[in-house]
Amino acid sequence: MTFKKKRAFYIGGTSWLLLCAVGNHAIAQDAATPPSSTQLPEVTVTAPSPIVRRRAVIPARTPVRVARTAPGRNRERAPEATPAPAAPAAPQQGVLPIVTDQFATVTVVPNEEIRRQGTAQLGDLLFSKPGITGSTFAPGAASRPIIRGLDVNRVGILENGNNAGGASDLGEDHFVPIDPLATNQVEVIRGPAAMRYGSTSIGGVVSATNNRIPDALPTCAAVPFQSYGLPAKAPLANAQTSSCVNVETRTSVSSVDRGVDSGILLDTGGGNFAFHADAFGRKASDYSIPSYPYLFDQTRPVNGRQPNSAMQADGASIGGSYIFQGGFIGAAITQNDTLYRIPGIDGADHQTRIDGHQTKFTAKGEYRPDAAAIDAVRFWAGATDYHHNEIGLADPADPSTVGIRQKFTNKEQEGRLEVQMMPFNARFAAVTTAFGLQAGHQELTAPSPDDPTSPLNGLWDPNRNNRVAGYVFNELKFSETTKAQIAGRIERVNLTGTTPEFIPDLFDLNVDPAAIGPATPRNLHFTPKSASVGLLQDLPWGLVASITGQYVERAPKPAELFSRGAHDATATFDIGNPNLGIETAKSVEIGLRRATGPLRFEATAYYTKFNGFIFRRLTGITCEDVACVGPADPSFPLELKQALYSQRDATFRGGEFQSQLDIGPLNGGIWGVESQFDVVRATFSDGTNVPRIPPVRVGGGLFWRDANWLTKINLLHAFAQNDIAPIGETPTAGYNLLKAEVSYKTKLDPTWFGAREMTVGLVGNNLLNENIRNSVSYNKDEVLLPGIGVRAFANLKF
């Protein structure tokens, strides 16, 4: 461990000790005085577990751990009437959302934070969250979330419970087809709950939600509710007799890339029907950078902007639901289109851009029967038709050679059915069980139009992935303060594809790939099994402790098995390994959280042991087309680095911390401090480093907020990353990311121009104009993240 890393842990430990001292004072103060009059926003999470707990209404002054609402009726008896407080204040913006009733850490990015951040990709949105970063291969256009150093093949991405589709897990240059402009909340789920979505979510799940499939009728002021035959004190939530229309506009402009984005969302309904429609678009030019971007080539002209980084995207969706007694059923169709450029030396030379299109159909529903055994039945279904063309110059000196260099297609269908049983008394605990069944089919192609007769016909030939799985979750409530969870999952994965004949011999690294033979069909079968156990314990002073243990098996994915060609995004010549076996991860995670009072925080530590960790290993050999040059001849390097998919045992360990402390009142609001820290260390069994791991980060800032205003300033420091792979990876310098923002939210008189609520604000990013390179990005030595910039945004609700 270097001196700088020791210093990193020392600073983190010092921050922790100082915060504990302040926290002890805050907890003591909170215990001795009535709760703060600050009304915290309600945190509603939807993705962590198939077991949905029902709760009565909680008084507004009490912070909510996780409040879930469900369409239809609620079996619990309605709470007795209590005197309503006079003119309660609106929930304040900028409150750190802490989820305390889940068995592992859940990071929530609520709607108002998404609106303030205004990013175009989920990876950019989550870039600074503890334990999370983004791939930032094409900042602002293609950035996939990375959780605790685990990325593409171990992180699932969902939209409204369905797979996001696309090809972002097949190449770091591919966009995630979920635009935050049309998203209302993002949740990052780690730990046992990820088993609900499959073993390919071994690192976690990023779940985006919106109202494209309504689960309730829209609420409008002064519209009478209809009881649908229920008692007057328990009407069907949001059911109404007359029509209702809600409209929201979301708009922003940014200076760093001269970007403009705008979206409109419409929700309407009447009787038993609810409908949603949205449309959005964004456009940005090459973004400004602080200095010269290319570390190892100082000969190219750069005009103060990252060459070849412009983008544009648009999309639309329409959906509807039928709301009935005890549930709903609905569907939506969504179109995503984007055209963006790939930064970096090769991308700029060849004017590389990606033209992507996705058409997605999704459906979901819930039914809560009046039965003694079954509490709820839920389903999700989706179908994706995705394709993109990678366009560029075959010869950088000849503009007439522009054309399609590579294609990707993904046709995917998936369905999931869950049945939640009614709780039953097992004497030692109240037990709630949920069963799930999941099935899916995927067909991938990546043909090359250059030479269809070549044995290297693109990155891989068409391959198919069929999977079916069953899972069960059991929650045991021993008391109001002690709960446990036991879960298990078994899958059957069938993978069909082809591999070239040279694959078995090439792994000695001495065979000339020019001897490529015809592709050989492969039909592979895997049966991954997973299990988890967790304990949740309420402690004094609003603290909640958790501990979980997991055993998760993951089947290899098609790209890891069948790749056999040039992969321009990573500048590698990828060679899949059809002999890969199941990857196994054994994990332990402990956490301590607090969501109430003036001090809110969460602290997590984890340890994961991988057996047969699958990764892309650089060999030191370079390739171009079918020719390769070994490391013994460095005088003649070729364009692509040879990369073999391999397996080795590895260990990941780390931790995350974030907090928010309300210090006291100031000018009618509350001011306070925030802090965060995260670290992940990943090594193979021989002590060498796992490639592309995020650096140690520590940060903090000040805030002031009231019911209308929010002002914040935060500094995030990333230490240099020198723990790198022995071949093909370079060190990454540290950086300081300074951000500041101010926003104002207020109710309006609709008679002015129809709007009933407005939120406006300014956000400054990278205010120190620092050179920021992302250590997990394949092109970090050629791509700087955007420099200093200001974004102005306005959201109106009608």
Side-chain angles (χ1 to χ4, degrees):
M1 180 180 293
T2 64
F3 172 76
K4 287 187 177 181
K5 272 299 172 64
K6 290 180 180 178
R7 184 184 175 204
F9 282 100
Y10 174 75
I11 291 175
T14 303
S15 301
W16 170 253
L17 291 175
L18 289 174
L19 195 54
C20 283
V22 177
N24 288 336
H25 173 72
I27 291 173
Q29 182 184 29
D30 189 38
T33 60
S36 169
S37 60
T38 301
Q39 184 183 352
L40 303 183
E42 183 177 288
V43 180
T44 304
V45 294
T46 59
S49 171
I51 297 176
V52 180
R53 307 185 192 101
R54 306 296 163 191
R55 291 183 175 177
V57 176
I58 299 177
R61 291 166 64 111
T62 303
V64 179
R65 290 184 190 165
V66 179
R68 293 184 176 86
T69 57
R73 56 197 173 86
N74 190 326
R75 279 196 171 83
E76 292 190 357
R77 181 173 57 88
E80 296 180 2
T82 57
Q92 295 184 3
Q93 303 181 78
V95 176
L96 179 66
I98 301 293
V99 177
T100 59
D101 77 338
Q102 296 301 310
F103 292 85
T105 302
V106 178
T107 299
V108 178
V109 186
N111 193 0
E112 49 99 357
E113 183 177 351
I114 298 175
R115 306 283 71 79
R116 300 198 315 267
Q117 296 301 318
T119 57
Q121 287 282 285
L122 293 180
D124 294 334
L125 176 69
L126 298 166
F127 181 81
S128 298
K129 295 294 182 182
I132 314 169
T133 187
S135 60
T136 64
F137 194 92
S143 183
R144 183 182 171 93
I146 296 174
I147 302 175
R148 295 175 175 173
L150 302 173
D151 56 2
V152 290
N153 297 319
R154 300 174 184 86
V155 173
I157 299 181
L158 308 174
E159 183 178 33
N160 295 324
N162 287 291
N163 195 319
S168 66
D169 60 336
L170 304 176
E172 286 74 6
D173 57 333
H174 303 161
F175 77 109
V176 179
I178 297 176
D179 198 298
L181 260 177
T183 299
N184 292 338
Q185 183 163 291
V186 174
E187 301 160 16
V188 181
I189 300 101
R190 309 162 179 85
M195 287 199 307
R196 182 185 187 190
Y197 304 102
S199 61
T200 53
S201 300
I202 192 171
V205 171
V206 179
S207 173
T209 56
N210 50 46
N211 202 40
R212 284 175 168 167
I213 303 178
D215 59 7
L217 291 164
T219 302
C220 288
V223 178
F225 289 117
Q226 176 182 328
S227 68
Y228 284 89
L230 295 178
K233 289 186 178 181
L236 178 64
N238 292 339
Q240 51 197 33
T241 57
S242 59
S243 62
C244 174
V245 179
N246 293 325
V247 178
E248 181 179 354
T249 62
R250 301 169 175 174
T251 305
S252 73
V253 295
S254 56
S255 64
V256 71
D257 56 4
R258 293 171 287 191
V260 178
D261 60 65
S262 185
I264 183 170
L265 300 87
L266 181 147
D267 290 282
T268 186
N272 291 76
F273 293 93
F275 300 97
H276 171 91
D278 65 68
F280 63 88
R282 58 173 77 241
K283 186 174 184 179
S285 61
D286 292 349
Y287 60 79
S288 298
I289 50 178
S291 64
Y292 193 80
Y294 307 135
L295 279 182
F296 303 112
D297 187 341
Q298 305 292 321
T299 64
R300 299 169 183 273
V302 175
N303 62 358
R305 295 183 176 273
Q306 181 72 51
N308 211 53
S309 61
M311 65 85 67
Q312 65 184 61
D314 57 74
S317 180
I318 185 169
S321 296
Y322 176 72
I323 313 294
F324 57 89
Q325 174 64 36
F328 76 98
I329 185 171
I333 187 167
T334 302
Q335 181 70 33
N336 288 298
D337 302 295
T338 186
L339 176 64
Y340 60 94
R341 295 179 176 269
I342 302 299
I345 292 176
D346 184 76
D349 286 350
H350 291 83
Q351 300 179 25
T352 305
R353 60 262 197 197
I354 289 183
D355 184 12
H357 305 273
Q358 182 199 53
T359 303
K360 181 168 59 177
F361 171 83
T362 54
K364 69 175 183 177
E366 174 176 299
Y367 175 53
R368 303 184 65 83
D370 188 10
I374 297 177
D375 187 12
V377 180
R378 307 181 186 96
F379 82 91
W380 297 259
T384 293
D385 186 356
Y386 172 93
H387 70 277
H388 78 243
N389 294 328
E390 300 182 359
I391 304 169
L393 298 171
D395 181 357
D398 185 358
S400 66
T401 61
V402 66
I404 298 173
R405 306 267 68 84
Q406 179 75 69
K407 293 183 177 181
F408 279 83
T409 70
N410 178 17
K411 295 182 183 296
E412 188 171 4
Q413 306 84 41
E414 186 177 54
R416 192 169 79 254
L417 176 68
E418 292 179 354
V419 178
Q420 177 176 330
M421 310 304 291
M422 292 291 289
F424 70 92
N425 187 352
R427 294 189 179 181
F428 63 93
V431 180
T432 304
T433 300
F435 300 95
L437 180 66
Q438 184 179 21
H441 169 79
Q442 181 184 47
E443 183 172 349
L444 299 170
T445 68
S448 172
D450 292 332
D451 185 7
T453 64
S454 169
L456 283 180
N457 184 21
L459 185 55
W460 55 67
D461 276 347
N463 58 76
R464 293 174 177 83
N465 179 352
N466 294 295
R467 55 201 182 275
V468 62
Y471 55 92
V472 59
F473 279 69
N474 294 282
E475 284 197 10
L476 294 82
K477 183 177 179 182
F478 301 105
S479 68
E480 292 298 328
T481 59
T482 305
K483 303 176 183 67
Q485 183 185 81
I486 301 174
R489 179 185 177 97
I490 185 169
E491 297 181 50
R492 180 64 174 175
V493 180
N494 299 320
L495 296 162
T496 303
T498 58
T499 56
E501 287 185 352
F502 67 73
I503 287 293
D505 297 327
L506 191 61
F507 283 89
D508 63 12
L509 306 183
N510 295 315
V511 175
D512 185 355
I516 296 172
T520 301
R522 296 275 185 163
N523 191 9
L524 305 175
H525 308 279
F526 302 92
T527 308
K529 297 172 284 294
S530 304
S532 71
V533 60
L535 180 68
L536 200 65
Q537 178 66 55
D538 289 2
L539 301 174
W541 305 302
L543 297 171
V544 179
S546 64
I547 181 169
T548 60
Q550 283 182 269
Y551 175 90
V552 181
E553 295 180 344
R554 179 180 78 88
K557 295 187 71 173
E560 298 168 321
L561 297 165
F562 304 130
S563 294
R564 54 182 179 84
H567 194 171
D568 290 337
T570 56
T572 55
F573 187 97
D574 290 356
I575 302 173
N577 182 355
N579 299 314
L580 294 174
I582 283 179
E583 175 184 277
T584 301
K586 291 167 279 190
S587 303
V588 175
E589 177 181 317
I590 59 173
L592 184 67
R593 305 173 187 89
R594 188 174 192 254
T596 60
L599 174 63
R600 299 166 294 279
F601 74 91
E602 60 184 2
T604 307
Y606 59 89
Y607 180 93
T608 302
K609 175 67 175 178
F610 284 94
N611 296 113
F613 181 82
I614 301 173
F615 70 108
R616 191 161 34 187
R617 176 173 65 88
L618 297 177
T619 65
I621 295 175
T622 58
C623 303
E624 189 168 350
D625 294 330
V626 295
C628 290
V629 176
D633 187 11
S635 61
F636 188 61
L638 299 178
E639 184 176 332
L640 302 174
K641 302 174 184 177
Q642 188 186 83
L644 310 181
Y645 280 99
S646 306
Q647 283 190 292
R648 296 177 67 182
D649 294 345
T651 301
F652 284 64
R653 60 273 194 196
E656 301 121 19
F657 176 80
Q658 63 176 335
S659 72
Q660 189 176 74
L661 174 63
D662 298 338
I663 293 180
L666 178 66
N667 291 335
I670 292 177
W671 78 282
V673 296
E674 298 177 324
S675 67
Q676 68 177 83
F677 173 79
D678 63 335
V679 59
V680 56
R681 187 78 176 93
T683 55
F684 291 114
S685 55
D686 63 356
T688 58
N689 299 305
V690 175
R692 299 175 55 245
I693 295 299
V696 178
R697 301 185 299 181
V698 61
L702 302 172
F703 65 87
W704 179 88
R705 66 172 188 265
D706 65 10
N708 301 105
W709 289 93
L710 172 64
T711 60
K712 295 178 66 176
I713 182 168
N714 289 85
L715 177 67
L716 179 65
H717 175 71
F719 290 86
Q721 179 56 286
N722 297 308
D723 295 326
I724 58 176
I727 299 177
E729 189 175 13
T730 58
T732 307
Y735 61 82
N736 293 297
L737 177 59
L738 180 65
K739 300 181 67 173
E741 59 183 280
V742 56
S743 59
Y744 177 73
K745 179 179 181 179
T746 186
K747 301 290 185 182
L748 298 175
D749 184 350
T751 60
W752 290 357
F753 56 97
R756 55 185 171 84
E757 185 178 301
M758 175 185 71
T759 305
V760 295
L762 292 173
V763 179
N765 191 49
N766 194 7
L767 295 178
L768 299 178
N769 204 33
E770 289 225 352
N771 292 332
I772 298 179
R773 298 185 188 274
N774 185 5
S775 65
V776 304
S777 176
Y778 277 99
N779 59 2
K780 65 181 177 62
D781 294 334
E782 301 175 6
V783 176
L784 285 169
L785 269 59
I788 185 172
V790 176
R791 174 176 171 271
F793 68 92
N795 300 325
L796 296 172
K797 292 183 179 180
F798 297 85

